[in-house]
Amino acid sequence: METTKREAATQSQKLMVFVLTMALYGLATLLTELIPSFQAGIVEFSVEYFLFIPLTLAMLFDPLSAALGAATGELVFSEIMLGQFGGLGELEKFLTVTIGVYVAGRMVKNPANRAMVGVAAITGTGLQLFLGMLVDIMKVQFAVEDFEAVAGLPESVFATEGFAFLNDLLFSGILFCLLPTLFLVPRLYGKIEPLLGMQPRTEKTFLGGINVKVILGCLAAFVVAAGAELLATSGMPLIEWEADWAESSTALAVGIVAAAVLSIIVLLVIKKRAEKPQRAQA
Amino acid sequence: MNIIEVQNLTYSYPAAKEPVLKNLSLEIEKGDFLAIVGNNGCGKSTLCKTLNGLIPHFITGDFEGKVTVDGLDTRENDVGTLACRAGYVYQDFENQIVRPTVLDDASYACMNYAMEDYRERGQEALSLCGLEGREDDYIWQLSGGQTHLLALAGAVSLRPEILILDEPIAQLDPSHADRIYEVLRKLNEEYGKTIIVIEHHTEYIADYCRHVVLMKDGQVRWKLPAREALSRVDELRDCNIFPPQVTAAARSLQGKGVRLPDGPLPTTVEEGRKYFDGLVWDGACPACAQAKGDEQGGSQSASPSAVEFRDVSMAFRSVKGEDRVVFDGLNLKVERGEKIALIGSNGAGKSTLMKLMVGLLKPQAGEVLLDGESIRRKKTESLSRKISLVFQNPEEMFIKDSIEADIAFAMQARGVENWKERTEQLLEQFRLTELRDRDGRLLSGGQMRRASLAIGIALNPGILLLDEPTANLDMATRREIMEALEAMKEVTETVMIATHDMQLVCEWAKRIVVLYQGRVVADGDRDEIFGREEVARLVGIRPPEIFTMGRALDERAYCYTVDEFTAAFRR
Amino acid sequence: MERKAKKKLSENILDKFTIDFLRSQVLKNAYGNDDTMIAKLDPRILIVWYLFLGLVPWFVSDIYFLLGCFLLVVATTMLARVAGLVLFLFGIGVFSQTGYLFIVTLLFGGDASAIVPLLTLTLKVACCSLASITVFSGLDPDRLSNGLMWFGCPERLSFSISYAYRILPMLMEEFQNILLSFRLRGNPPASQTFWGKVKYLAYQVKTIMHAFYPLMLNTAKRSRTTVEALEIKGYRLAATDKRVKKMRLASLKVTWDDLMFLAVSFLWISLSILASTIF
């Protein structure tokens, strides 16, 4: 009895964190989607401007719920609601965000410790960006046959992707993730928990640092993410459909058209018939 | 038969030092219409959450004693089973609605409990709550009152025997509030539901409830029939509850030694009519004359009006179809030094009017003038030294992590030289010095209001606008706000308050502007507004009960406060 | 020139391009088109339709086929009455992916021959985006989440979608009010000079960031009630109850209109294939 009660309570707390993160980060990504992106010279702010929101919440509450909530929020508010859903490729973003936020949340033992919060924030952001970079590099590698053979290609890809990564991390990572998180976590610590009916995170309630299980879990998730992204974008050259069509005869195409027309006629007829008895009844 | 039995309940929240409920026992009969009253923080909401099993199943903590609801021990039954016995409507009810459309939300609980007829149940609940025809609407298309009815329908759909409502009419105008209570009465009388409300508005208790429970410090003081309970004026006042004005007047006349019938005091105008029978109105009494004299105070000078609306039109884009027109050619002048109350039903345009004045909204046509200058081309930020707006919801005014920082924010941003001293002084003035480091959101209702007022006048604005400053407050807190308003008199010349609180209007305002469907339908002092019944009927405002009482006894009596009433009527 | 335009855009984030405007556009997109033909279709049919039009064009480079698909999704997008802002974003999205490539090619002395491959790419991108806009913006949120659930998506996701649509208006209003507080009491730097503009922009970005502090706390207060209410309404039980899922999905019904929609789409696509074989 007692244990089920406690379980219901923790379940509900997790749900609360999920709902909270989803709503806030969803709103934030909706805004970024709507605000045109800034570009100043070669420096492009392509980082998630508002990653500090789930980072902050993951450090204060259950990291996994916050991470999943953030990823779901982004998916639902900015992708689905605005119809900007990009198919399988979204899975990559979903999982890298989840991993980054989750790891950052697990790292913080004491949210009042600014150094710890700062390290965790920049690690989480870095991880998310780094995984994104890895996927990007792999994309090129898969897409271009004999990747190694093309002179200078690997170097240039590594160089540009690496530069983009560092740029994002050092510029927007610090400006939009590290600083706001450092600002928010100590301020919210001890204040936001009572509003949700929870106790602030202490050494006791802390889940324990990063262990092998966490790393393995993240790795597995990353493999899925990379796989999905590769499937989504570099499937193009793998399947060559156009060749088949060019050779196929017009007759076949005519056949397909005829079938389509026929199916429409059949549908119309059936519909008419189905409507008649209804009308008779009415 | 008792439908609810609470025995020796002691409960404390997780990590709390003191228990909220202390050895509390209570029995509630089936079919009762019961009001729970008590000052803020006495454990009313906590008690209600023990009745539907949220405590101890969902919110843990130390729970001792026994609660039986409809024959079920709450500790041995899960929240789902209990939800079908006792429905709950929160004070912040809009957060309890989780689905995008009306019928969907009403039937959501039934669907989750796998009831095959969930749609029919939802439909039935909607028609019980008077929401037929709105089934496919989106939640945000509903007015505040309708949203509350929907939250109620969500609870009713499970066909519980008991319905619990936490401050159901806190933010509503009288006509919406009446509608909620009429629905509750129907559920109680025709369907035999047991209704429990947490309620500050004793006028509604007098009109609708059968029993009253007074709580204090986590315990039940007493449970009495409504009339008898409301007659205990002094005890209620001790717990910061306003007794009905009629009752207070009777008590006060008793105290003055006026000969009145024995037995319980009157609680409604109807009862008052019999009780006060034989009293005569004395139109020449000094209180009446003085009240009259006060009203001549509005200054009429040649200088430009503080605020002027010239043919202002304003419409909002709507999601579907036509734009929603709020104002069409509105004209209004506010003179310096006026104390204006802005009244009208929910959605009449009160908040929009205020936002136009501070420049947060720009009119589509016409001009808004501040001290004779159009504000069309001015930046909102530059107006804030002249005019300031205190939001209805104080939580939206707290943007920093302590109230001290919040009060100082606007002054710092503008480089006001002595901002430190000024902040100090404001903290002192509003008795917030000890709370200076706390986050505004974590304060009690009254402290929050005080803090929001301090923030509002930080820049010494000549004009102050207050949106519903007394909504949802108990007596002590309300008095505090009134005192704060009084204290601000020297600084802010002109004050405008948008409110449903007619007692506040009558006690404070020198001029009353009535908005109805975006037009000013009446404008004048209180005699002109409340003396014209057709205005009140059209707009759905209601004068204070004591005013109605006075006029019921004598057509010529215009008494707006209990003091005026007791001074003017004698045997 | 472009820089200037960009500056102007960013300067107006809080002024003309207000949260109020965004709110009305997002609401319009989310709720304003529930009476269209697209919104009435069966979500499962539409999802299958999307899977075809969102994926297949990526694998095909035939210009007639792509053109056919493109015209089809343009037609459905018009039928779904998507809000202007979403279409504007779509335009920006397509341009950022391919349009600028074309300009760059021309700048570096490329000629019209570059048009064809770029057009192909543009059509692919446009086709997939418009298909997703049709389905995700055009469908009623609740029907969409039911449809996804039918295909085995986690219950949490379909709940999130419905809940997102419920809470968005509230959340945006709250956010807007907090920003209003900042506007009333804050004091942004003057924005006449170039540096002023940069500072002004930085100020606004900072304001938005700071606005999340109160928003987080206020939303936390709300979510507590919400989760308690969800518990009372049996959400946690229902998530694991098979009967509930069945009941929810029982409302889905494939009608003649759905089949007709599929058949017409099919006819159109096959006609474009025919065209590509003839020419």
Side-chain angles (χ1 to χ4, degrees), chain C residues 90-101:
Chain C
F90 156 77
I92 290 206
V94 170
F95 178 81
S96 72
Q97 291 195 44
T98 64
Y100 78 97
L101 270 179

Short mmCIF file of all heavy atoms in Angstrom, two decimals, chain C residues 90-101:
data_model
loop_
_atom_site.label_atom_id
_atom_site.label_comp_id
_atom_site.label_asym_id
_atom_site.label_seq_id
_atom_site.Cartn_x
_atom_site.Cartn_y
_atom_site.Cartn_z
N PHE C 90 7.24 28.60 -44.58
CA PHE C 90 7.52 27.59 -45.59
C PHE C 90 8.37 28.20 -46.72
O PHE C 90 9.36 27.63 -47.15
CB PHE C 90 6.19 27.05 -46.14
CG PHE C 90 6.28 26.45 -47.52
CD1 PHE C 90 6.83 25.19 -47.69
CD2 PHE C 90 5.83 27.15 -48.62
CE1 PHE C 90 6.92 24.64 -48.95
CE2 PHE C 90 5.92 26.60 -49.88
CZ PHE C 90 6.47 25.35 -50.05
N GLY C 91 7.95 29.40 -47.14
CA GLY C 91 8.71 30.08 -48.20
C GLY C 91 10.15 30.30 -47.79
O GLY C 91 11.09 29.98 -48.54
N ILE C 92 10.33 30.82 -46.58
CA ILE C 92 11.70 31.05 -46.09
C ILE C 92 12.48 29.75 -46.05
O ILE C 92 13.64 29.68 -46.45
CB ILE C 92 11.64 31.67 -44.68
CG1 ILE C 92 11.12 33.08 -44.76
CG2 ILE C 92 13.01 31.64 -44.03
CD1 ILE C 92 11.55 33.97 -43.65
N GLY C 93 11.81 28.70 -45.58
CA GLY C 93 12.47 27.40 -45.48
C GLY C 93 12.97 26.91 -46.82
O GLY C 93 14.12 26.51 -46.96
N VAL C 94 12.11 26.99 -47.81
CA VAL C 94 12.49 26.51 -49.14
C VAL C 94 13.62 27.37 -49.69
O VAL C 94 14.61 26.86 -50.22
CB VAL C 94 11.27 26.54 -50.09
CG1 VAL C 94 11.71 26.29 -51.52
CG2 VAL C 94 10.26 25.51 -49.67
N PHE C 95 13.47 28.68 -49.52
CA PHE C 95 14.50 29.57 -50.05
C PHE C 95 15.85 29.28 -49.39
O PHE C 95 16.88 29.19 -50.05
CB PHE C 95 14.11 31.03 -49.82
CG PHE C 95 15.14 31.99 -50.29
CD1 PHE C 95 15.22 32.32 -51.64
CD2 PHE C 95 16.07 32.54 -49.41
CE1 PHE C 95 16.20 33.19 -52.09
CE2 PHE C 95 17.04 33.41 -49.86
CZ PHE C 95 17.11 33.74 -51.20
N SER C 96 15.82 29.11 -48.07
CA SER C 96 17.09 28.92 -47.38
C SER C 96 17.75 27.62 -47.81
O SER C 96 18.96 27.48 -47.71
CB SER C 96 16.87 28.93 -45.86
OG SER C 96 16.23 27.74 -45.49
N GLN C 97 16.94 26.68 -48.29
CA GLN C 97 17.57 25.42 -48.69
C GLN C 97 18.06 25.43 -50.13
O GLN C 97 19.08 24.84 -50.44
CB GLN C 97 16.58 24.27 -48.49
CG GLN C 97 16.34 24.01 -47.03
CD GLN C 97 15.67 22.68 -46.79
OE1 GLN C 97 16.04 21.69 -47.39
NE2 GLN C 97 14.70 22.66 -45.92
N THR C 98 17.30 26.10 -51.01
CA THR C 98 17.70 26.00 -52.41
C THR C 98 17.82 27.36 -53.10
O THR C 98 18.68 27.55 -53.94
CB THR C 98 16.68 25.16 -53.21
OG1 THR C 98 15.44 25.86 -53.19
CG2 THR C 98 16.51 23.80 -52.61
N GLY C 99 16.97 28.28 -52.73
CA GLY C 99 16.93 29.55 -53.46
C GLY C 99 18.26 30.26 -53.46
O GLY C 99 18.74 30.72 -54.50
N TYR C 100 18.88 30.31 -52.30
CA TYR C 100 20.13 31.06 -52.25
C TYR C 100 21.22 30.37 -53.07
O TYR C 100 22.10 31.00 -53.62
CB TYR C 100 20.56 31.29 -50.80
CG TYR C 100 21.20 30.11 -50.13
CD1 TYR C 100 22.58 30.01 -50.09
CD2 TYR C 100 20.44 29.11 -49.55
CE1 TYR C 100 23.18 28.93 -49.47
CE2 TYR C 100 21.03 28.04 -48.94
CZ TYR C 100 22.40 27.95 -48.90
OH TYR C 100 22.99 26.88 -48.30
N LEU C 101 21.12 29.04 -53.17
CA LEU C 101 22.08 28.30 -54.02
C LEU C 101 22.03 28.82 -55.45
O LEU C 101 23.05 29.02 -56.10
CB LEU C 101 21.73 26.80 -54.03
CG LEU C 101 22.37 25.94 -52.95
CD1 LEU C 101 21.89 24.52 -53.10
CD2 LEU C 101 23.89 26.01 -53.06
#
